[in-house]
Amino acid sequence: MNVKRRPRGSMKEPVSVGWEIDRPVKDHFAALAKKAGYTNSAFLELMMRSVELDKDGKPTWIPPQDTEGQLPIDKP
């Protein structure tokens, strides 16, 4: 299978992330990347470049915050 990678030298400020996530989540992510034909890092970059944001700049798939019991604060 031909795996899609970023062109060599295309990253301007490469960093290695050291996040801890549950093994099943990591394995699921890797499986999705493989099925899509991408490396894990290229798949993550593609996802981040295509995520849809709401008017506040948050991903549209994030559940709304529970504001029950909070008083409204007027914005200037």
Side-chain angles (χ1 to χ4, degrees):
M1 180 189 338
N2 189 11
V3 177
K4 295 176 183 99
R5 301 175 184 272
R6 289 180 307 272
R8 187 173 295 278
S10 65
M11 293 183 7
K12 293 182 170 67
E13 295 183 53
V15 295
S16 179
V17 295
W19 304 321
E20 290 184 16
I21 60 174
D22 284 332
R23 169 70 57 185
V25 173
K26 186 256 182 214
D27 293 344
H28 184 218
F29 182 86
L32 290 173
K34 185 175 182 178
K35 285 181 183 180
Y38 285 86
T39 63
N40 288 350
S41 59
F43 187 66
L44 177 62
E45 287 188 12
L46 180 64
M47 283 177 47
M48 292 309 302
R49 288 189 176 111
S50 61
V51 67
E52 184 178 339
L53 304 177
D54 67 12
K55 63 180 174 49
D56 296 321
K58 294 184 275 186
T60 56
W61 47 264
I62 295 288
Q65 287 186 322
D66 180 15
T67 58
E68 185 177 332
Q70 294 180 8
L71 295 175
I73 298 175
D74 293 335
K75 294 184 180 178

